[in-house]
Amino acid sequence: MLEISPSLQIPDAEIELSPIRAQGAGGQNVNKVSSAIHLRFSIPDSSLPDACKSRLLELRDQRISKDGVLVLKAQRFRTQEQNRDDALQRLADIIRRANFLPKARRPTKPSRGSQHRRLDRKTKHARTKSLRGPVKPEH
């Protein structure tokens, strides 16, 4: 059971983990050991709340396929267990970010005093600018 928050958990059956060979340098060991982990998580088939599913599917993330399957590849560490934990942690972080709903913005209006101060400032600035113009000769 992967715990996202105290009220949200994902059963292990919904997460598909498969070991793969890691890319990059590794010496003689790299061709024998499958230390990287490929994580597949189907968003539409999951037990997540519908609101969370829709926010996840709306993410512009290249790791989410057209079918709604999130694919993560973890190969940061040398051991399969550490990479497995890393992949599960990254999945939890993605779901937490999508589950967070920002507070709605309530539109506000500037106070009457601040509007008057702004207009007074503008008038004073305009007067200062006009005084900088060329001096008109007296006739």
Side-chain angles (χ1 to χ4, degrees), residues 65-135:
S65 69
K66 291 177 186 164
D67 305 331
V69 177
L70 176 67
V71 179
L72 295 175
K73 184 177 179 183
Q75 60 178 10
R76 190 184 319 175
F77 300 103
R78 286 177 61 111
T79 65
Q80 194 177 94
E81 292 77 27
Q82 284 179 309
N83 283 327
R84 182 181 173 279
D85 293 341
D86 182 43
L88 291 171
Q89 187 61 49
R90 284 168 42 201
L91 173 65
D93 289 343
I94 291 169
I95 295 172
R96 263 188 223 106
R97 271 201 318 265
N99 203 24
F100 173 74
L101 191 60
K103 199 168 103 174
R105 182 192 175 279
R106 287 203 340 242
T108 57
K109 207 164 134 181
S111 67
R112 189 172 290 166
S114 71
Q115 288 176 357
H116 281 295
R117 284 191 298 273
R118 184 177 123 283
L119 293 175
D120 290 344
R121 219 175 21 248
K122 280 175 66 112
T123 309
K124 185 179 174 192
H125 191 66
R127 196 176 308 120
T128 305
K129 293 282 243 182
S130 68
L131 290 173
R132 291 183 189 160
V135 180

Side-chain angles (χ1 to χ4, degrees), residues 26-88:
Q28 297 171 339
N29 204 34
V30 75
N31 297 323
K32 297 183 289 188
V33 181
S34 299
S35 61
I37 292 288
H38 217 248
L39 180 143
R40 294 178 64 83
F41 178 70
S42 177
I43 298 167
D45 300 335
S46 69
S47 61
L48 291 172
D50 289 336
C52 186
K53 283 183 193 180
S54 63
R55 282 196 293 271
L56 269 171
L57 291 170
E58 287 170 7
L59 287 176
R60 295 198 177 276
D61 197 329
Q62 62 188 13
R63 297 171 293 190
I64 300 175
S65 69
K66 291 177 186 164
D67 305 331
V69 177
L70 176 67
V71 179
L72 295 175
K73 184 177 179 183
Q75 60 178 10
R76 190 184 319 175
F77 300 103
R78 286 177 61 111
T79 65
Q80 194 177 94
E81 292 77 27
Q82 284 179 309
N83 283 327
R84 182 181 173 279
D85 293 341
D86 182 43
L88 291 171

